[in-house]
């Protein structure tokens, strides 16, 4: 196995590394302790480094190139200013808020890359939310998002202005475009980050993200290649506030659409109509799970939500059972939400569900099983039968709002 | 019609448990499976062959045991399977993985349609598909929930985006990444399982695919995982087991405190 070495003279055969390896890549034969063999690293190893951290005696070494600091000719933090139909995506304001912090701690500028057709007018809004410079590529070929022209134009911008960091929202657009651009630039890209910070010693971007269905977190660096690129999970970072008086620079970027090869076409966009508040924008969410037992009982959730003017969420079990549409699913394979209040009803709190709602400010859980893992994260947990508690609560809340 | 499907063998994350004492992942007895999204990719590949003729080849980069995933793919119905396996491929991030898969696809003579899963459930990056397309210099369409039509060297699909569905047309060759809505993967038949037992899974290394050593594995990976840790759970709050009226009163009190009532 390349890259990893276990020093025989130092290793005590304690077995910590075997337990720590997320990939089951380390084996010890003959039990642990002095008489056993040296741990052996098999092909499943991804050189993630979990074992080096776990080793109490520092016997595991992973050979890496010594970390060069940020290349001096790459400066500034950029945000991809995703827009759809002339409206800036919500996540962009979160990226600007986070990007501002990163740029300030590096002493660099915050830039925004704005691509589209007839979008020049959006630049002041980006400046108001913290951008120092907005690079604008305004061309009919950029009207609707398409990976090829967007990636080509961004590549041109990056080659001209050499940013140090670029952040994208981890939306369907960002997660499609960013890997294409990273491929062109041959640089690293960290997916779906939930934490970003500048390493004070090296000035490198420390990118933290969940993996293994939220079971583990990983911190990732991109030492040598530039720019350092990341997609950032929506609704995790704090939105930037607006200051309409802020000054900034707008730099147009010329697009040579004639020279571009574009092989895809968006023929049509069919909007999905939802009648209720979308769960991503809601301040309060009432979510139901398998504990509701059957489809018609899901109305208990809808009634409670209506009484609180809340959005309706669901666990995957409820969605898979066909009680409610997929667009309401909260969790790893559904949506990440961080409302002010999340009420979980009849949801056990599997790690994949927690992955999507742990960021909520207050969690109220109603479950009859006192051992349900949801109680580990709940601000207020009610151990009880939802069929009694929920109707009574709905009634109480209706009374309260009627009295207002 | 020539179709190539990229599949990855992953640990079944539903079976992954955290050791409450050490806070580490317990991998013992966790089965290795074909990445669930890749099952849909395989099914779409096989459906395409059934509708338009041609062949479907499954490829995977991984350790020797990933051969089992490819065998399962043959049992489902793909014609051919190739494992990209080489010590020098180890430690690859998405850029190096995409490069390696792209070189193998070229070695196979390219394809009209390349299908990847939306994302792998271990890394959850969703980056390899678009990366392969970029490396091959072909277009890609991600988050495909339906293939509407294929014909005259063009493909029409529906793609899921925030707030709706896009209908997209592209020239072929093209790479698509697929969601679970796209089809219902078939189970292997007994005949398929027998065939899988007999089929030789080709194994290719660095030289076989003509890859540059500097662009594969750890060396070819700009990103580096420097720390892996278990997420901190939120602090446990107050959990009460009281009669219904009291429970309701407690919730209402909390909601008032938060000005939600
Ligand atoms: C790769 C992957 C991705 C996933 N993504 C997601 C995701 O995005 N979102 C998601 O939610 N899940 C996801 N899951 C599934 C997840 O692991 C769980 O299966 C799911 O969240 C369970 O839903 P649940 O809590 O509603 O059901 P259960 O786990 O069955 O829990 C039902 C709960 O209701 C309680 N209950 C029953 N009757 C009553 C009653 N009368 N009163 C009060 N309480 C009652 C029970 O005590 C129990 O705790 C994913 C899984 C995998 C493998
Ligand atoms: N090692 C691999 N071998 C073959 N295909 C892969 C590999 N890694 C990723 N893929 C493909 O790329 C998709 C996205 O994976 P990821 O970018 O890792 O989330 C998967 O669903 C597979 O189709």
């Amino acid at each position: 196995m390349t890259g990893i070495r276990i020093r025989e003279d130092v290793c005590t055969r304690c077995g910590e590394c075997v337990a720590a390896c997320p990939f089951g890549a380390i084996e010890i034969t003959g039990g642990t302790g002095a008489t056993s063999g040296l741990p052996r690293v098999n092909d499943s190893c991804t050189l993630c480094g979990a074992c080096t951290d776990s080793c109490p005696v520092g016997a595991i070494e992973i050979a890496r190139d010594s970390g060069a600091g940020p290349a001096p000719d790459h400066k500034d933090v950029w945000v991809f200013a995703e827009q759809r139909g002339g409206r800036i995506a919500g996540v962009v304001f979160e990226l600007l808020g986070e990007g501002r912090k990163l740029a300030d701690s590096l002493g660099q500028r915050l830039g925004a890359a704005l691509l589209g057709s007839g979008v020049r007018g959006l630049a002041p809004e980006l400046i108001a939310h913290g951008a120092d410079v907005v690079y604008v590529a305004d061309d009919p070929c950029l009207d609707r998002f398409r990976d090829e022209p967007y990636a080509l134009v961004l590549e041109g911008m990056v080659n001209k202005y050499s940013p140090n960091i670029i952040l994208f929202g981890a939306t369907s657009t960002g997660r499609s475009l960013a890997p294409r651009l990273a491929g062109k630039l041959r640089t690293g890209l960290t997916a779906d980050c939930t934490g970003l910070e500048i390493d004070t010693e090296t000035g490198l971007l420390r990118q933290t993200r969940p993996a293994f269905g939220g079971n583990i977190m990983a911190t990732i660096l991109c030492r040598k290649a530039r720019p350092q690129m990341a997609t950032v999970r929506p609704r995790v970072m704090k939105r930037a506030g607006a200051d309409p008086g802020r000054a900034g620079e707008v730099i147009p970027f010329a697009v040579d659409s004639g020279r571009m090869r574009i092989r895809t076409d968006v023929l049509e966009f069919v909007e999905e109509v939802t009648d209720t508040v979308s769960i991503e924008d809601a301040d309060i969410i009432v979510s139901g799970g398998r504990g509701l037992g059957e489809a018609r009982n899901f109305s208990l959730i809808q009634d409670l939500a209506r009484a609180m003017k809340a959005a309706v969420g669901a666990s995957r079990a409820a969605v898979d059972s066909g009680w409610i549409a997929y667009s309401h699913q909260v969790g790893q394979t559904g949506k990440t939400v961080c409302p002010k209040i999340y009420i979980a009803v009849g949801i056990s709190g599997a790690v994949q569900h927690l992955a999507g709602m742990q960021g909520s400010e207050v969690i109220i859980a109603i479950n009859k099983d006192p051992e349900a893992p949801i109680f580990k994260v709940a601000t207020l947990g009610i151990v009880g039968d939802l069929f009694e508690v929920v109707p009574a609560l709905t009634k109480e809340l209706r009374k309260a709002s009627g009295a207002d | 019609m020539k179709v190539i499907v990229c599949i990855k063998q992953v640990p079944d994350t539903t079976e992954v448990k955290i050791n409450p004492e050490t806070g580490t992942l317990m991998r013992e007895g966790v089965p290795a499976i074909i990445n669930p999204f890749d099952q849909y990719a395989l099914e779409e590949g096989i459906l395409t062959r059934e509708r338009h003729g041609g062949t479907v080849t499954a490829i995977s980069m991984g350790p020797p045991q990933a051969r089992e995933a490819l065998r399962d793919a043959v049992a489902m119905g793909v014609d051919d399977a190739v494992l990209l396996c080489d010590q020098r491929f180890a430690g690859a991030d998405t850029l190096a993985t995409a490069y390696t898969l792209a070189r193998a696809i070229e070695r196979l003579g390219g394809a009209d349609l390349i299908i990847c899963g939306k994302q792998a459930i271990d890394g959850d990056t969703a980056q390899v598909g678009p990366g392969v397309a970029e490396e091959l210099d072909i277009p890609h369409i991600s988050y495909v929930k339906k293939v509407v039509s294929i014909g005259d060297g063009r493909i029409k699909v529906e793609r899921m985006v925030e707030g709706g569905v896009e209908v997209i047309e592209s020239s072929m060759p093209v790479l698509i990444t697929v969601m679970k809505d796209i089809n219902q993967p078939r189970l292997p038949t007994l005949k398929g399982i027998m065939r899988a037992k007999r089929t030789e899974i080709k194994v290719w290394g660095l030289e076989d695919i003509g890859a540059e050593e500097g662009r594969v594995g750890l060396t070819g990976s700009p990103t580096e995982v420097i720390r892996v840790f278990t997420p901190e759970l939120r602090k446990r709050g107050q959990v009460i087991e009281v009669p219904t009226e009291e429970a309701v009163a407690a919730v209402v009190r909390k909601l008032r405190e938060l000005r939600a009532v």
Side-chain angles (χ1 to χ4, degrees):
Chain A
M1 172 62 55
T2 40
I4 183 161
R5 192 169 82 98
I6 300 178
R7 292 181 50 193
E8 192 163 355
D9 50 331
V10 181
C11 173
T12 63
R13 282 79 166 154
C14 70
E16 284 293 328
C17 55
V18 177
C21 178
F23 304 95
I26 311 184
E27 297 150 342
I28 292 192
T29 46
T32 53
T35 57
S36 75
L38 190 70
R40 227 179 52 80
V41 182
N42 68 34
D43 289 338
S44 304
C45 173
T46 68
L47 300 168
C48 76
C51 54
T52 48
D53 288 347
S54 77
C55 180
V57 293
I60 310 178
E61 291 169 350
I62 295 185
R64 302 194 194 278
D65 297 328
S66 65
D73 55 332
H74 282 75
K75 269 215 304 284
D76 294 354
V77 178
W78 281 18
V79 160
F80 171 64
E82 177 177 342
Q83 54 84 23
R84 187 174 282 275
R87 263 196 62 208
I88 295 171
V91 68
V92 174
F93 302 109
E94 297 158 23
L95 298 178
L96 287 169
E98 189 64 17
R100 186 71 260 167
K101 278 192 254 165
L102 300 175
D104 288 344
S105 65
L106 284 165
Q108 297 178 354
R109 293 186 305 174
L110 179 63
L114 176 61
L115 281 66
S117 177
V119 292
R120 225 168 265 133
L122 299 176
E125 201 178 340
L126 297 167
I127 292 170
H129 285 86
D132 300 311
V133 205
V134 182
Y135 302 91
V136 187
D138 204 318
D139 190 276
C141 82
L142 300 172
D143 184 18
R144 273 181 168 148
F145 168 74
R146 284 179 296 175
D147 291 284
E148 288 185 289
Y150 270 64
L152 276 167
V153 169
L154 275 174
E155 182 191 21
M157 277 187 181
V158 169
N159 287 337
K160 185 158 178 192
Y161 297 104
S162 309
N164 180 15
I165 292 171
I166 313 183
L167 308 179
F168 295 78
T171 58
S172 63
T173 298
R175 295 190 80 168
S176 195
L177 172 63
R180 187 116 208 169
L181 180 64
K184 285 185 190 296
L185 300 168
R186 296 223 185 138
T187 189
L189 172 64
T190 307
D192 206 19
C193 295
T194 53
L196 296 172
E197 82 188 314
I198 301 293
D199 185 290
T200 42
E201 253 171 63
T202 57
L204 290 165
L205 181 65
R206 293 173 63 94
Q207 309 161 89
T208 298
R209 63 177 305 256
F212 271 104
N215 284 296
I216 59 170
M217 304 293 291
T219 301
I220 293 168
L221 292 184
C222 174
R223 285 185 207 267
K224 286 200 164 157
R226 288 294 176 278
Q228 304 165 82
M229 286 176 51
T231 62
V232 179
R233 185 177 285 190
R235 299 238 135 211
V236 174
M237 309 293 176
K238 284 258 171 307
R239 269 176 83 98
D243 169 7
R246 262 190 107 249
E249 196 182 347
V250 179
I251 300 180
F253 184 83
V255 176
D256 187 357
S257 57
R259 278 190 45 224
M260 245 185 257
R261 198 158 37 124
I262 307 173
R263 294 163 288 194
T264 47
D265 246 319
V266 182
L267 303 180
E268 184 179 1
F269 174 68
V270 188
E271 208 174 313
E272 202 182 58
V273 269
T274 40
D275 46 354
T276 46
V277 201
S278 89
I279 56 172
E280 287 135 303
D281 299 323
D283 280 339
I284 308 176
I285 297 175
V286 181
S287 259
R290 180 149 40 209
L292 286 153
E294 52 181 311
R296 64 188 170 92
N297 294 338
F298 212 85
S299 63
L300 290 176
I301 299 297
Q302 260 127 2
D303 292 345
L304 177 57
R306 212 166 296 129
M308 301 184 70
K309 295 193 181 60
V312 173
S315 74
R316 177 160 134 187
V319 172
D320 284 354
S321 306
W323 301 344
I324 188 157
Y326 169 72
S327 55
H328 295 263
Q329 185 175 317
V330 172
Q332 187 201 337
T333 41
K335 287 174 176 143
T336 303
V337 297
C338 58
K340 296 207 170 74
I341 305 172
Y342 188 91
I343 305 186
V345 180
I347 292 178
S348 63
V351 54
Q352 293 88 358
H353 188 79
L354 298 184
M357 45 67 80
Q358 268 192 72
S360 309
E361 271 174 46
V362 170
I363 297 172
I364 298 176
I366 302 168
N367 195 307
K368 67 177 181 191
D369 173 11
E371 301 301 320
I374 191 80
F375 289 132
K376 292 208 184 101
V377 301
T379 323
L380 174 62
I382 304 291
V383 180
D385 186 350
L386 72 89
F387 294 105
E388 288 179 19
V389 177
V390 173
L393 179 60
T394 306
K395 203 168 135 210
E396 204 47 41
L397 292 173
R398 280 201 189 125
K399 244 198 309 194
S401 63
D404 272 355
Chain B
M1 181 79 38
K2 202 169 147 192
V3 182
I4 295 178
V5 182
C6 302
I7 67 169
K8 185 176 188 187
Q9 191 183 48
V10 295
D12 188 348
T13 52
T14 38
E15 302 288 326
V16 174
K17 299 258 149 48
I18 305 283
N19 180 332
E21 270 149 46
T22 59
T24 52
L25 229 57
M26 301 197 294
R27 288 239 345 176
E28 248 140 75
V30 175
I33 53 170
I34 295 181
N35 175 38
F37 291 101
D38 301 352
Q39 301 261 13
Y40 296 79
L42 286 167
E43 176 66 26
E44 201 57 30
I46 297 166
L47 282 174
T48 307
R49 181 190 62 201
E50 285 169 358
R51 287 179 194 143
H52 305 276
T55 59
V56 191
T57 304
I59 64 172
S60 185
M61 180 183 89
Q65 55 266 35
R67 203 181 265 135
E68 290 318 306
L70 288 164
R71 226 174 264 294
D72 291 347
V74 175
M76 253 179 96
V78 306
D79 302 285
D80 218 352
V82 184
L83 175 64
L84 312 174
C85 189
D86 192 311
Q87 295 265 309
R88 290 164 290 184
F89 295 160
D93 71 359
T94 58
L95 186 74
T97 303
Y99 169 80
T100 311
L101 293 173
R103 289 292 81 79
I105 290 167
E106 274 172 0
R107 159 79 205 273
L108 286 164
D112 302 294
L113 177 63
I114 298 162
I115 312 178
C116 287
K118 181 188 85 152
Q119 68 191 55
I121 60 164
D122 54 353
D124 291 325
T125 81
Q127 290 175 182
V128 168
V132 170
E134 175 58 33
E135 189 59 49
L136 291 170
D137 191 19
I138 61 170
H140 80 268
I141 310 168
S142 50
Y143 303 107
V144 171
K145 59 170 280 202
K146 186 176 176 189
V147 173
V148 180
S149 64
I150 293 177
D152 295 327
R154 300 189 73 75
I155 186 170
K156 194 158 120 183
V157 303
E158 289 180 6
R159 170 176 192 257
M160 282 261 282
V161 297
E162 287 76 12
V165 173
E166 279 178 350
V167 183
I168 298 196
E169 195 177 67
S170 171
S171 63
M172 292 170 86
V174 67
L175 182 146
I176 62 173
T177 75
V178 303
M179 321 252 307
K180 290 191 174 176
D181 316 47
I182 196 161
N183 57 42
Q184 193 51 56
R186 69 194 65 195
L187 293 170
T189 57
L190 194 60
K191 212 170 117 213
I193 295 168
M194 297 308 286
R195 201 173 82 79
K197 285 214 177 95
R198 289 193 312 269
T199 305
E200 180 217 359
I201 311 285
K202 294 190 199 79
V203 180
W204 289 351
L206 185 91
E207 284 76 20
D208 297 307
I209 59 170
E212 280 172 47
E213 195 166 347
R215 292 205 57 198
V216 303
L218 184 71
T219 332
S221 299
T223 61
E224 183 188 306
V225 178
I226 55 158
R227 190 163 104 88
V228 175
F229 56 101
T230 358
E232 229 174 83
L233 282 183
R234 294 167 61 105
K235 266 202 265 28
R236 192 193 185 99
Q238 182 195 17
V239 179
I240 52 173
E241 194 164 358
V242 292
T244 302
E245 303 89 84
E246 272 176 58
V248 169
V251 175
V252 173
R253 217 177 307 124
K254 187 85 205 164
L255 294 176
R256 278 194 203 283
E257 199 184 294
L258 298 164
R259 296 171 191 280
V261 181

